Amino acid sequence: STTHEVLKSTQNQLVQSEKLASVGQLAAGVAHEINNPVGFISSNMEILEQYIADYAKVLKMMDQLKGSVAGGNLEEAKSIVEEINKLKEEINLDYIISDTTKLLQHNRDGIKRIQKIVMDLRAFAREDTGEIEHVKIEDVIEGVLNIVHSEVKYKAKLEKNYGDTPVIECSPQRLGQVFLNLIINALHAIERSGTITIKTYKQ
């Protein structure tokens, strides 16, 4: 019984070591995948900072306009309105308003992409307890593909043909390691470029 437990523990350690080695092998690609959205989020933030500064100029002038109107100085108010209209054209305020929404959505998409990669990495790399879970096999595959995305996209076209498969009882981590190994082996077998096809079905 003791020997069995020692062997079981050793096997789990080997499985964990293999998983961490796989993550290490893919680290550069994963870093690149995270760096892409981080890059455009950083660039978008610089643009948004400028937009905010331009907004602030308009708001400051609006405050001046309110003060002039409240004080009954209509000539000054008229002059400020002209300055506001001139500034709106200078900074292209209509474009800023529409582009701000797009930039924020772009940033949200980038953050979601980073979160997904990190979640899949954490799920894959956590210590294997051997617990059986009820999962969709396609979800396990998608988690692995998210980790190897950078490796695949430069070398192979990925074709996915998922069927209507039922939830299965399995160890998602161990299955994930199998799928990861198969995909990496497929990539190594491709000399220049090729196609990796993944099909799931119920028989």
Side-chain angles (χ1 to χ4, degrees), residues 108-187:
R108 277 192 288 267
D109 292 342
I111 291 166
K112 282 180 185 174
R113 173 71 184 143
I114 294 168
Q115 286 175 329
K116 185 79 174 77
I117 294 169
V118 172
M119 282 172 62
D120 287 331
L121 264 177
R122 285 178 64 188
F124 178 77
R126 74 175 191 262
E127 189 173 353
D128 184 8
T129 58
E131 286 183 16
I132 299 301
E133 297 177 34
H134 293 80
V135 296
K136 290 276 286 182
I137 201 166
E138 292 81 7
D139 291 342
V140 179
I141 295 170
E142 282 296 309
V144 170
L145 290 177
N146 212 27
I147 296 170
V148 298
H149 181 259
S150 185
E151 303 290 317
V152 173
K153 71 179 178 182
Y154 293 116
K155 202 169 185 182
K157 180 185 173 187
L158 189 63
E159 290 185 356
K160 295 184 285 188
N161 183 7
Y162 292 158
D164 184 22
T165 62
V167 168
I168 60 168
E169 287 185 19
C170 67
S171 166
Q173 289 179 288
R174 292 180 185 180
L175 263 189
Q177 181 69 54
V178 172
F179 293 141
L180 184 69
N181 291 345
L182 286 170
I183 293 165
I184 290 174
N185 287 347
L187 286 170

Side-chain angles (χ1 to χ4, degrees), residues 68-88:
S68 297
V69 172
N73 194 338
L74 297 181
E75 281 300 315
E76 186 180 74
K78 187 178 176 183
S79 174
I80 293 171
V81 168
E82 287 174 2
E83 285 181 39
I84 290 172
N85 288 332
K86 187 179 175 183
L87 179 63
K88 280 175 69 178

